[in-house]
PDB file of all heavy atoms in Angstrom:
ATOM      1  N   SER A  16       0.823  -1.216   0.000  1.00 97.00           N
ATOM      2  CA  SER A  16       0.000   0.000   0.000  1.00 97.00           C
ATOM      3  C   SER A  16       0.856   1.263   0.000  1.00 97.00           C
ATOM      4  O   SER A  16       0.319   2.376  -0.078  1.00 97.00           O
ATOM      5  CB  SER A  16      -0.922   0.010   1.231  1.00 97.00           C
ATOM      6  OG  SER A  16      -1.778  -1.104   1.238  1.00 97.00           O
ATOM      7  N   ASP A  17       2.162   1.099   0.092  1.00 97.00           N
ATOM      8  CA  ASP A  17       3.092   2.227   0.135  1.00 97.00           C
ATOM      9  C   ASP A  17       3.482   2.612  -1.291  1.00 97.00           C
ATOM     10  O   ASP A  17       4.093   1.817  -2.006  1.00 97.00           O
ATOM     11  CB  ASP A  17       4.335   1.819   0.930  1.00 97.00           C
ATOM     12  CG  ASP A  17       5.285   2.978   1.188  1.00 97.00           C
ATOM     13  OD1 ASP A  17       5.252   3.964   0.418  1.00 97.00           O
ATOM     14  OD2 ASP A  17       6.093   2.879   2.139  1.00 97.00           O
ATOM     15  N   PRO A  18       3.130   3.822  -1.746  1.00 97.00           N
ATOM     16  CA  PRO A  18       3.433   4.213  -3.130  1.00 97.00           C
ATOM     17  C   PRO A  18       4.912   4.226  -3.467  1.00 97.00           C
ATOM     18  O   PRO A  18       5.283   4.161  -4.640  1.00 97.00           O
ATOM     19  CB  PRO A  18       2.824   5.627  -3.237  1.00 97.00           C
ATOM     20  CG  PRO A  18       2.667   6.100  -1.833  1.00 97.00           C
ATOM     21  CD  PRO A  18       2.417   4.886  -1.017  1.00 97.00           C
ATOM     22  N   ASP A  19       5.778   4.272  -2.471  1.00 95.00           N
ATOM     23  CA  ASP A  19       7.218   4.242  -2.735  1.00 95.00           C
ATOM     24  C   ASP A  19       7.663   2.913  -3.332  1.00 95.00           C
ATOM     25  O   ASP A  19       8.782   2.810  -3.862  1.00 95.00           O
ATOM     26  CB  ASP A  19       8.001   4.508  -1.448  1.00 95.00           C
ATOM     27  CG  ASP A  19       7.926   5.961  -1.003  1.00 95.00           C
ATOM     28  OD1 ASP A  19       7.531   6.815  -1.829  1.00 95.00           O
ATOM     29  OD2 ASP A  19       8.235   6.235   0.166  1.00 95.00           O
ATOM     30  N   TYR A  20       6.792   1.903  -3.253  1.00 96.00           N
ATOM     31  CA  TYR A  20       7.168   0.574  -3.751  1.00 96.00           C
ATOM     32  C   TYR A  20       6.285   0.124  -4.917  1.00 96.00           C
ATOM     33  O   TYR A  20       6.284  -1.051  -5.276  1.00 96.00           O
ATOM     34  CB  TYR A  20       7.141  -0.436  -2.598  1.00 96.00           C
ATOM     35  CG  TYR A  20       8.148  -0.063  -1.540  1.00 96.00           C
ATOM     36  CD1 TYR A  20       7.797   0.791  -0.499  1.00 96.00           C
ATOM     37  CD2 TYR A  20       9.468  -0.474  -1.633  1.00 96.00           C
ATOM     38  CE1 TYR A  20       8.732   1.204   0.434  1.00 96.00           C
ATOM     39  CE2 TYR A  20      10.412  -0.071  -0.697  1.00 96.00           C
ATOM     40  CZ  TYR A  20      10.041   0.772   0.330  1.00 96.00           C
ATOM     41  OH  TYR A  20      10.977   1.188   1.240  1.00 96.00           O
ATOM     42  N   ASP A  21       5.593   1.092  -5.502  1.00 95.00           N
ATOM     43  CA  ASP A  21       4.746   0.777  -6.656  1.00 95.00           C
ATOM     44  C   ASP A  21       5.556   0.302  -7.855  1.00 95.00           C
ATOM     45  O   ASP A  21       5.029  -0.372  -8.739  1.00 95.00           O
ATOM     46  CB  ASP A  21       3.916   2.002  -7.063  1.00 95.00           C
ATOM     47  CG  ASP A  21       2.755   2.272  -6.110  1.00 95.00           C
ATOM     48  OD1 ASP A  21       2.443   1.374  -5.305  1.00 95.00           O
ATOM     49  OD2 ASP A  21       2.176   3.368  -6.165  1.00 95.00           O
ATOM     50  N   HIS A  22       6.851   0.670  -7.902  1.00 93.00           N
ATOM     51  CA  HIS A  22       7.666   0.300  -9.066  1.00 93.00           C
ATOM     52  C   HIS A  22       8.083  -1.169  -9.033  1.00 93.00           C
ATOM     53  O   HIS A  22       8.639  -1.667 -10.016  1.00 93.00           O
ATOM     54  CB  HIS A  22       8.929   1.176  -9.128  1.00 93.00           C
ATOM     55  CG  HIS A  22       9.882   0.957  -7.986  1.00 93.00           C
ATOM     56  ND1 HIS A  22       9.628   1.385  -6.708  1.00 93.00           N
ATOM     57  CD2 HIS A  22      11.102   0.346  -7.930  1.00 93.00           C
ATOM     58  CE1 HIS A  22      10.639   1.073  -5.922  1.00 93.00           C
ATOM     59  NE2 HIS A  22      11.546   0.429  -6.645  1.00 93.00           N
ATOM     60  N   LEU A  23       7.791  -1.859  -7.935  1.00 96.00           N
ATOM     61  CA  LEU A  23       8.232  -3.244  -7.788  1.00 96.00           C
ATOM     62  C   LEU A  23       7.061  -4.221  -7.887  1.00 96.00           C
ATOM     63  O   LEU A  23       5.954  -3.932  -7.425  1.00 96.00           O
ATOM     64  CB  LEU A  23       8.913  -3.444  -6.433  1.00 96.00           C
ATOM     65  CG  LEU A  23      10.298  -2.827  -6.261  1.00 96.00           C
ATOM     66  CD1 LEU A  23      10.722  -2.918  -4.803  1.00 96.00           C
ATOM     67  CD2 LEU A  23      11.321  -3.524  -7.148  1.00 96.00           C
ATOM     68  N   THR A  24       7.320  -5.371  -8.491  1.00 97.00           N
ATOM     69  CA  THR A  24       6.386  -6.492  -8.437  1.00 97.00           C
ATOM     70  C   THR A  24       6.715  -7.302  -7.196  1.00 97.00           C
ATOM     71  O   THR A  24       7.836  -7.794  -7.049  1.00 97.00           O
ATOM     72  CB  THR A  24       6.519  -7.376  -9.687  1.00 97.00           C
ATOM     73  OG1 THR A  24       6.194  -6.609 -10.848  1.00 97.00           O
ATOM     74  CG2 THR A  24       5.594  -8.583  -9.601  1.00 97.00           C
ATOM     75  N   ILE A  25       5.762  -7.399  -6.271  1.00 98.00           N
ATOM     76  CA  ILE A  25       5.976  -8.102  -5.010  1.00 98.00           C
ATOM     77  C   ILE A  25       5.062  -9.319  -4.974  1.00 98.00           C
ATOM     78  O   ILE A  25       3.839  -9.190  -5.057  1.00 98.00           O
ATOM     79  CB  ILE A  25       5.712  -7.181  -3.800  1.00 98.00           C
ATOM     80  CG1 ILE A  25       6.611  -5.938  -3.865  1.00 98.00           C
ATOM     81  CG2 ILE A  25       5.936  -7.937  -2.497  1.00 98.00           C
ATOM     82  CD1 ILE A  25       6.385  -4.941  -2.749  1.00 98.00           C
ATOM     83  N   VAL A  26       5.663 -10.505  -4.871  1.00 98.00           N
ATOM     84  CA  VAL A  26       4.915 -11.761  -4.936  1.00 98.00           C
ATOM     85  C   VAL A  26       4.906 -12.419  -3.563  1.00 98.00           C
ATOM     86  O   VAL A  26       5.974 -12.752  -3.024  1.00 98.00           O
ATOM     87  CB  VAL A  26       5.542 -12.726  -5.961  1.00 98.00           C
ATOM     88  CG1 VAL A  26       4.790 -14.052  -5.977  1.00 98.00           C
ATOM     89  CG2 VAL A  26       5.553 -12.099  -7.352  1.00 98.00           C
ATOM     90  N   PRO A  27       3.730 -12.608  -2.942  1.00 98.00           N
ATOM     91  CA  PRO A  27       3.675 -13.318  -1.663  1.00 98.00           C
ATOM     92  C   PRO A  27       4.144 -14.756  -1.834  1.00 98.00           C
ATOM     93  O   PRO A  27       3.786 -15.432  -2.797  1.00 98.00           O
ATOM     94  CB  PRO A  27       2.196 -13.254  -1.273  1.00 98.00           C
ATOM     95  CG  PRO A  27       1.462 -12.996  -2.545  1.00 98.00           C
ATOM     96  CD  PRO A  27       2.398 -12.217  -3.420  1.00 98.00           C
ATOM     97  N   CYS A  28       4.942 -15.247  -0.878  1.00 97.00           N
ATOM     98  CA  CYS A  28       5.653 -16.498  -1.113  1.00 97.00           C
ATOM     99  C   CYS A  28       5.913 -17.251   0.192  1.00 97.00           C
ATOM    100  O   CYS A  28       6.128 -16.639   1.241  1.00 97.00           O
ATOM    101  CB  CYS A  28       6.980 -16.157  -1.802  1.00 97.00           C
ATOM    102  SG  CYS A  28       8.083 -17.536  -2.065  1.00 97.00           S
ATOM    103  N   SER A  29       5.898 -18.575   0.102  1.00 97.00           N
ATOM    104  CA  SER A  29       6.406 -19.424   1.178  1.00 97.00           C
ATOM    105  C   SER A  29       7.259 -20.504   0.543  1.00 97.00           C
ATOM    106  O   SER A  29       6.747 -21.511   0.035  1.00 97.00           O
ATOM    107  CB  SER A  29       5.276 -20.061   1.992  1.00 97.00           C
ATOM    108  OG  SER A  29       5.809 -21.034   2.886  1.00 97.00           O
ATOM    109  N   ALA A  30       8.559 -20.275   0.531  1.00 96.00           N
ATOM    110  CA  ALA A  30       9.478 -21.268  -0.027  1.00 96.00           C
ATOM    111  C   ALA A  30       9.404 -22.564   0.772  1.00 96.00           C
ATOM    112  O   ALA A  30       9.529 -23.665   0.211  1.00 96.00           O
ATOM    113  CB  ALA A  30      10.908 -20.720  -0.024  1.00 96.00           C
ATOM    114  N   HIS A  31       9.165 -22.442   2.073  1.00 95.00           N
ATOM    115  CA  HIS A  31       9.045 -23.628   2.920  1.00 95.00           C
ATOM    116  C   HIS A  31       7.875 -24.490   2.469  1.00 95.00           C
ATOM    117  O   HIS A  31       7.986 -25.727   2.396  1.00 95.00           O
ATOM    118  CB  HIS A  31       8.850 -23.205   4.376  1.00 95.00           C
ATOM    119  CG  HIS A  31       8.442 -24.318   5.289  1.00 95.00           C
ATOM    120  ND1 HIS A  31       9.305 -25.281   5.734  1.00 95.00           N
ATOM    121  CD2 HIS A  31       7.221 -24.636   5.815  1.00 95.00           C
ATOM    122  CE1 HIS A  31       8.663 -26.138   6.509  1.00 95.00           C
ATOM    123  NE2 HIS A  31       7.396 -25.767   6.567  1.00 95.00           N
ATOM    124  N   ALA A  32       6.742 -23.884   2.158  1.00 97.00           N
ATOM    125  CA  ALA A  32       5.562 -24.636   1.730  1.00 97.00           C
ATOM    126  C   ALA A  32       5.829 -25.364   0.412  1.00 97.00           C
ATOM    127  O   ALA A  32       5.462 -26.533   0.251  1.00 97.00           O
ATOM    128  CB  ALA A  32       4.365 -23.698   1.590  1.00 97.00           C
ATOM    129  N   GLU A  33       6.471 -24.678  -0.532  1.00 97.00           N
ATOM    130  CA  GLU A  33       6.762 -25.296  -1.827  1.00 97.00           C
ATOM    131  C   GLU A  33       7.708 -26.485  -1.657  1.00 97.00           C
ATOM    132  O   GLU A  33       7.499 -27.555  -2.242  1.00 97.00           O
ATOM    133  CB  GLU A  33       7.368 -24.270  -2.775  1.00 97.00           C
ATOM    134  CG  GLU A  33       7.686 -24.787  -4.167  1.00 97.00           C
ATOM    135  CD  GLU A  33       6.459 -24.998  -5.033  1.00 97.00           C
ATOM    136  OE1 GLU A  33       5.343 -24.627  -4.607  1.00 97.00           O
ATOM    137  OE2 GLU A  33       6.618 -25.545  -6.139  1.00 97.00           O
ATOM    138  N   LYS A  34       8.747 -26.301  -0.853  1.00 95.00           N
ATOM    139  CA  LYS A  34       9.699 -27.389  -0.627  1.00 95.00           C
ATOM    140  C   LYS A  34       9.015 -28.562   0.058  1.00 95.00           C
ATOM    141  O   LYS A  34       9.250 -29.736  -0.292  1.00 95.00           O
ATOM    142  CB  LYS A  34      10.874 -26.879   0.227  1.00 95.00           C
ATOM    143  CG  LYS A  34      11.947 -27.926   0.509  1.00 95.00           C
ATOM    144  CD  LYS A  34      12.734 -28.276  -0.723  1.00 95.00           C
ATOM    145  CE  LYS A  34      13.771 -29.370  -0.452  1.00 95.00           C
ATOM    146  NZ  LYS A  34      14.730 -28.987   0.611  1.00 95.00           N
ATOM    147  N   ALA A  35       8.151 -28.290   1.028  1.00 96.00           N
ATOM    148  CA  ALA A  35       7.459 -29.354   1.745  1.00 96.00           C
ATOM    149  C   ALA A  35       6.561 -30.153   0.813  1.00 96.00           C
ATOM    150  O   ALA A  35       6.513 -31.391   0.883  1.00 96.00           O
ATOM    151  CB  ALA A  35       6.645 -28.768   2.900  1.00 96.00           C
ATOM    152  N   LEU A  36       5.850 -29.469  -0.081  1.00 96.00           N
ATOM    153  CA  LEU A  36       4.954 -30.163  -1.001  1.00 96.00           C
ATOM    154  C   LEU A  36       5.726 -31.016  -2.002  1.00 96.00           C
ATOM    155  O   LEU A  36       5.336 -32.157  -2.300  1.00 96.00           O
ATOM    156  CB  LEU A  36       4.070 -29.154  -1.733  1.00 96.00           C
ATOM    157  CG  LEU A  36       2.963 -28.516  -0.894  1.00 96.00           C
ATOM    158  CD1 LEU A  36       2.238 -27.427  -1.689  1.00 96.00           C
ATOM    159  CD2 LEU A  36       1.964 -29.571  -0.427  1.00 96.00           C
ATOM    160  N   LYS A  37       6.818 -30.482  -2.532  1.00 95.00           N
ATOM    161  CA  LYS A  37       7.592 -31.256  -3.499  1.00 95.00           C
ATOM    162  C   LYS A  37       8.255 -32.469  -2.832  1.00 95.00           C
ATOM    163  O   LYS A  37       8.335 -33.551  -3.427  1.00 95.00           O
ATOM    164  CB  LYS A  37       8.642 -30.368  -4.170  1.00 95.00           C
ATOM    165  CG  LYS A  37       8.049 -29.422  -5.198  1.00 95.00           C
ATOM    166  CD  LYS A  37       9.129 -28.644  -5.918  1.00 95.00           C
ATOM    167  CE  LYS A  37       8.542 -27.787  -7.032  1.00 95.00           C
ATOM    168  NZ  LYS A  37       9.584 -26.970  -7.707  1.00 95.00           N
ATOM    169  N   THR A  38       8.705 -32.292  -1.607  1.00 94.00           N
ATOM    170  CA  THR A  38       9.294 -33.420  -0.880  1.00 94.00           C
ATOM    171  C   THR A  38       8.231 -34.476  -0.594  1.00 94.00           C
ATOM    172  O   THR A  38       8.477 -35.681  -0.744  1.00 94.00           O
ATOM    173  CB  THR A  38       9.934 -32.937   0.431  1.00 94.00           C
ATOM    174  OG1 THR A  38      10.960 -31.981   0.134  1.00 94.00           O
ATOM    175  CG2 THR A  38      10.533 -34.096   1.203  1.00 94.00           C
ATOM    176  N   ALA A  39       7.045 -34.011  -0.206  1.00 95.00           N
ATOM    177  CA  ALA A  39       5.949 -34.938   0.069  1.00 95.00           C
ATOM    178  C   ALA A  39       5.558 -35.700  -1.193  1.00 95.00           C
ATOM    179  O   ALA A  39       5.251 -36.899  -1.134  1.00 95.00           O
ATOM    180  CB  ALA A  39       4.750 -34.184   0.632  1.00 95.00           C
ATOM    181  N   GLU A  40       5.590 -35.029  -2.339  1.00 94.00           N
ATOM    182  CA  GLU A  40       5.254 -35.725  -3.584  1.00 94.00           C
ATOM    183  C   GLU A  40       6.328 -36.756  -3.927  1.00 94.00           C
ATOM    184  O   GLU A  40       6.012 -37.878  -4.352  1.00 94.00           O
ATOM    185  CB  GLU A  40       5.103 -34.731  -4.737  1.00 94.00           C
ATOM    186  CG  GLU A  40       4.609 -35.428  -6.007  1.00 94.00           C
ATOM    187  CD  GLU A  40       4.548 -34.506  -7.208  1.00 94.00           C
ATOM    188  OE1 GLU A  40       5.488 -33.720  -7.398  1.00 94.00           O
ATOM    189  OE2 GLU A  40       3.567 -34.605  -7.949  1.00 94.00           O
ATOM    190  N   GLU A  41       7.593 -36.396  -3.739  1.00 93.00           N
ATOM    191  CA  GLU A  41       8.674 -37.351  -4.001  1.00 93.00           C
ATOM    192  C   GLU A  41       8.533 -38.608  -3.146  1.00 93.00           C
ATOM    193  O   GLU A  41       8.899 -39.709  -3.567  1.00 93.00           O
ATOM    194  CB  GLU A  41      10.040 -36.698  -3.735  1.00 93.00           C
ATOM    195  CG  GLU A  41      10.512 -35.766  -4.826  1.00 93.00           C
ATOM    196  CD  GLU A  41      11.963 -35.354  -4.634  1.00 93.00           C
ATOM    197  OE1 GLU A  41      12.485 -35.542  -3.516  1.00 93.00           O
ATOM    198  OE2 GLU A  41      12.565 -34.847  -5.591  1.00 93.00           O
ATOM    199  N   ASN A  42       7.980 -38.438  -1.952  1.00 94.00           N
ATOM    200  CA  ASN A  42       7.823 -39.559  -1.025  1.00 94.00           C
ATOM    201  C   ASN A  42       6.479 -40.262  -1.187  1.00 94.00           C
ATOM    202  O   ASN A  42       6.132 -41.140  -0.371  1.00 94.00           O
ATOM    203  CB  ASN A  42       7.993 -39.077   0.415  1.00 94.00           C
ATOM    204  CG  ASN A  42       9.409 -38.599   0.708  1.00 94.00           C
ATOM    205  OD1 ASN A  42      10.370 -39.096   0.116  1.00 94.00           O
ATOM    206  ND2 ASN A  42       9.546 -37.637   1.606  1.00 94.00           N
ATOM    207  N   GLY A  43       5.723 -39.866  -2.204  1.00 94.00           N
ATOM    208  CA  GLY A  43       4.453 -40.527  -2.472  1.00 94.00           C
ATOM    209  C   GLY A  43       3.333 -40.156  -1.527  1.00 94.00           C
ATOM    210  O   GLY A  43       2.320 -40.866  -1.436  1.00 94.00           O
ATOM    211  N   VAL A  44       3.471 -39.033  -0.828  1.00 95.00           N
ATOM    212  CA  VAL A  44       2.474 -38.628   0.155  1.00 95.00           C
ATOM    213  C   VAL A  44       1.369 -37.786  -0.477  1.00 95.00           C
ATOM    214  O   VAL A  44       0.199 -37.879  -0.087  1.00 95.00           O
ATOM    215  CB  VAL A  44       3.139 -37.853   1.311  1.00 95.00           C
ATOM    216  CG1 VAL A  44       2.102 -37.323   2.292  1.00 95.00           C
ATOM    217  CG2 VAL A  44       4.137 -38.751   2.023  1.00 95.00           C
ATOM    218  N   VAL A  45       1.732 -36.937  -1.456  1.00 96.00           N
ATOM    219  CA  VAL A  45       0.749 -36.075  -2.101  1.00 96.00           C
ATOM    220  C   VAL A  45       0.941 -36.102  -3.613  1.00 96.00           C
ATOM    221  O   VAL A  45       2.005 -36.488  -4.111  1.00 96.00           O
ATOM    222  CB  VAL A  45       0.851 -34.600  -1.609  1.00 96.00           C
ATOM    223  CG1 VAL A  45       0.718 -34.507  -0.099  1.00 96.00           C
ATOM    224  CG2 VAL A  45       2.146 -33.947  -2.082  1.00 96.00           C
ATOM    225  N   GLU A  46      -0.102 -35.693  -4.316  1.00 96.00           N
ATOM    226  CA  GLU A  46      -0.001 -35.374  -5.734  1.00 96.00           C
ATOM    227  C   GLU A  46      -0.089 -33.862  -5.851  1.00 96.00           C
ATOM    228  O   GLU A  46      -1.072 -33.252  -5.413  1.00 96.00           O
ATOM    229  CB  GLU A  46      -1.120 -36.045  -6.532  1.00 96.00           C
ATOM    230  CG  GLU A  46      -0.941 -37.540  -6.712  1.00 96.00           C
ATOM    231  CD  GLU A  46      -1.989 -38.133  -7.632  1.00 96.00           C
ATOM    232  OE1 GLU A  46      -2.808 -37.353  -8.184  1.00 96.00           O
ATOM    233  OE2 GLU A  46      -1.992 -39.364  -7.792  1.00 96.00           O
ATOM    234  N   TYR A  47       0.955 -33.260  -6.445  1.00 96.00           N
ATOM    235  CA  TYR A  47       1.045 -31.803  -6.458  1.00 96.00           C
ATOM    236  C   TYR A  47       1.704 -31.341  -7.739  1.00 96.00           C
ATOM    237  O   TYR A  47       2.759 -31.852  -8.128  1.00 96.00           O
ATOM    238  CB  TYR A  47       1.867 -31.316  -5.253  1.00 96.00           C
ATOM    239  CG  TYR A  47       2.229 -29.848  -5.290  1.00 96.00           C
ATOM    240  CD1 TYR A  47       1.253 -28.856  -5.233  1.00 96.00           C
ATOM    241  CD2 TYR A  47       3.569 -29.457  -5.405  1.00 96.00           C
ATOM    242  CE1 TYR A  47       1.600 -27.514  -5.278  1.00 96.00           C
ATOM    243  CE2 TYR A  47       3.921 -28.126  -5.435  1.00 96.00           C
ATOM    244  CZ  TYR A  47       2.933 -27.149  -5.383  1.00 96.00           C
ATOM    245  OH  TYR A  47       3.272 -25.821  -5.442  1.00 96.00           O
ATOM    246  N   THR A  48       1.086 -30.398  -8.396  1.00 95.00           N
ATOM    247  CA  THR A  48       1.671 -29.757  -9.566  1.00 95.00           C
ATOM    248  C   THR A  48       2.258 -28.425  -9.130  1.00 95.00           C
ATOM    249  O   THR A  48       1.534 -27.589  -8.567  1.00 95.00           O
ATOM    250  CB  THR A  48       0.612 -29.513 -10.663  1.00 95.00           C
ATOM    251  OG1 THR A  48       0.064 -30.772 -11.064  1.00 95.00           O
ATOM    252  CG2 THR A  48       1.237 -28.830 -11.872  1.00 95.00           C
ATOM    253  N   PRO A  49       3.563 -28.197  -9.325  1.00 95.00           N
ATOM    254  CA  PRO A  49       4.177 -26.946  -8.872  1.00 95.00           C
ATOM    255  C   PRO A  49       3.399 -25.715  -9.331  1.00 95.00           C
ATOM    256  O   PRO A  49       3.036 -25.596 -10.493  1.00 95.00           O
ATOM    257  CB  PRO A  49       5.571 -26.998  -9.502  1.00 95.00           C
ATOM    258  CG  PRO A  49       5.866 -28.460  -9.597  1.00 95.00           C
ATOM    259  CD  PRO A  49       4.543 -29.115  -9.943  1.00 95.00           C
ATOM    260  N   GLY A  50       3.148 -24.840  -8.369  1.00 94.00           N
ATOM    261  CA  GLY A  50       2.417 -23.616  -8.665  1.00 94.00           C
ATOM    262  C   GLY A  50       0.922 -23.735  -8.472  1.00 94.00           C
ATOM    263  O   GLY A  50       0.205 -22.723  -8.522  1.00 94.00           O
ATOM    264  N   ALA A  51       0.413 -24.952  -8.251  1.00 96.00           N
ATOM    265  CA  ALA A  51      -1.025 -25.152  -8.111  1.00 96.00           C
ATOM    266  C   ALA A  51      -1.518 -24.610  -6.769  1.00 96.00           C
ATOM    267  O   ALA A  51      -0.765 -24.482  -5.806  1.00 96.00           O
ATOM    268  CB  ALA A  51      -1.375 -26.627  -8.245  1.00 96.00           C
ATOM    269  N   SER A  52      -2.823 -24.335  -6.720  1.00 96.00           N
ATOM    270  CA  SER A  52      -3.418 -23.788  -5.503  1.00 96.00           C
ATOM    271  C   SER A  52      -4.053 -24.875  -4.631  1.00 96.00           C
ATOM    272  O   SER A  52      -4.766 -24.560  -3.675  1.00 96.00           O
ATOM    273  CB  SER A  52      -4.472 -22.734  -5.860  1.00 96.00           C
ATOM    274  OG  SER A  52      -5.480 -23.293  -6.690  1.00 96.00           O
ATOM    275  N   ASP A  53      -3.800 -26.138  -4.971  1.00 97.00           N
ATOM    276  CA  ASP A  53      -4.313 -27.240  -4.162  1.00 97.00           C
ATOM    277  C   ASP A  53      -3.477 -28.485  -4.451  1.00 97.00           C
ATOM    278  O   ASP A  53      -2.671 -28.506  -5.393  1.00 97.00           O
ATOM    279  CB  ASP A  53      -5.790 -27.506  -4.477  1.00 97.00           C
ATOM    280  CG  ASP A  53      -6.491 -28.290  -3.356  1.00 97.00           C
ATOM    281  OD1 ASP A  53      -5.847 -28.575  -2.324  1.00 97.00           O
ATOM    282  OD2 ASP A  53      -7.689 -28.619  -3.522  1.00 97.00           O
ATOM    283  N   PHE A  54      -3.669 -29.512  -3.665  1.00 97.00           N
ATOM    284  CA  PHE A  54      -2.972 -30.774  -3.842  1.00 97.00           C
ATOM    285  C   PHE A  54      -3.830 -31.869  -3.224  1.00 97.00           C
ATOM    286  O   PHE A  54      -4.789 -31.602  -2.489  1.00 97.00           O
ATOM    287  CB  PHE A  54      -1.584 -30.738  -3.192  1.00 97.00           C
ATOM    288  CG  PHE A  54      -1.619 -30.386  -1.724  1.00 97.00           C
ATOM    289  CD1 PHE A  54      -1.733 -31.377  -0.745  1.00 97.00           C
ATOM    290  CD2 PHE A  54      -1.543 -29.060  -1.315  1.00 97.00           C
ATOM    291  CE1 PHE A  54      -1.776 -31.048   0.593  1.00 97.00           C
ATOM    292  CE2 PHE A  54      -1.586 -28.726   0.031  1.00 97.00           C
ATOM    293  CZ  PHE A  54      -1.700 -29.722   0.986  1.00 97.00           C
ATOM    294  N   GLU A  55      -3.485 -33.114  -3.515  1.00 96.00           N
ATOM    295  CA  GLU A  55      -4.246 -34.248  -2.996  1.00 96.00           C
ATOM    296  C   GLU A  55      -3.340 -35.137  -2.160  1.00 96.00           C
ATOM    297  O   GLU A  55      -2.247 -35.505  -2.601  1.00 96.00           O
ATOM    298  CB  GLU A  55      -4.835 -35.062  -4.151  1.00 96.00           C
ATOM    299  CG  GLU A  55      -5.660 -36.264  -3.702  1.00 96.00           C
ATOM    300  CD  GLU A  55      -6.189 -37.071  -4.865  1.00 96.00           C
ATOM    301  OE1 GLU A  55      -5.980 -36.651  -6.022  1.00 96.00           O
ATOM    302  OE2 GLU A  55      -6.799 -38.135  -4.612  1.00 96.00           O
ATOM    303  N   ILE A  56      -3.784 -35.464  -0.969  1.00 96.00           N
ATOM    304  CA  ILE A  56      -3.036 -36.381  -0.121  1.00 96.00           C
ATOM    305  C   ILE A  56      -3.315 -37.798  -0.606  1.00 96.00           C
ATOM    306  O   ILE A  56      -4.465 -38.239  -0.666  1.00 96.00           O
ATOM    307  CB  ILE A  56      -3.424 -36.224   1.359  1.00 96.00           C
ATOM    308  CG1 ILE A  56      -3.088 -34.805   1.843  1.00 96.00           C
ATOM    309  CG2 ILE A  56      -2.690 -37.266   2.216  1.00 96.00           C
ATOM    310  CD1 ILE A  56      -3.499 -34.530   3.286  1.00 96.00           C
ATOM    311  N   THR A  57      -2.250 -38.522  -0.961  1.00 95.00           N
ATOM    312  CA  THR A  57      -2.402 -39.868  -1.541  1.00 95.00           C
ATOM    313  C   THR A  57      -1.756 -40.955  -0.696  1.00 95.00           C
ATOM    314  O   THR A  57      -1.920 -42.137  -0.989  1.00 95.00           O
ATOM    315  CB  THR A  57      -1.784 -39.908  -2.949  1.00 95.00           C
ATOM    316  OG1 THR A  57      -0.411 -39.501  -2.874  1.00 95.00           O
ATOM    317  CG2 THR A  57      -2.526 -38.971  -3.891  1.00 95.00           C
ATOM    318  N   GLY A  58      -1.013 -40.579   0.320  1.00 94.00           N
ATOM    319  CA  GLY A  58      -0.315 -41.559   1.143  1.00 94.00           C
ATOM    320  C   GLY A  58      -0.747 -41.472   2.599  1.00 94.00           C
ATOM    321  O   GLY A  58      -1.561 -40.618   2.988  1.00 94.00           O
ATOM    322  N   ASP A  59      -0.206 -42.336   3.407  1.00 94.00           N
ATOM    323  CA  ASP A  59      -0.498 -42.338   4.839  1.00 94.00           C
ATOM    324  C   ASP A  59       0.290 -41.228   5.527  1.00 94.00           C
ATOM    325  O   ASP A  59       1.490 -41.068   5.310  1.00 94.00           O
ATOM    326  CB  ASP A  59      -0.112 -43.687   5.452  1.00 94.00           C
ATOM    327  CG  ASP A  59      -0.955 -44.830   4.908  1.00 94.00           C
ATOM    328  OD1 ASP A  59      -2.121 -44.572   4.546  1.00 94.00           O
ATOM    329  OD2 ASP A  59      -0.435 -45.960   4.838  1.00 94.00           O
TER     330      ASP A  59
END
């Protein structure tokens, strides 16, 4: 909301969440497409 930063594109992010989902998919726990807004739990 600060006009001093209007010149920048600011993207809300959680690198931890992305890493956790990709690791979970590698381990067969979830089905997840990178960048998606949802995922499916497929493992125990």
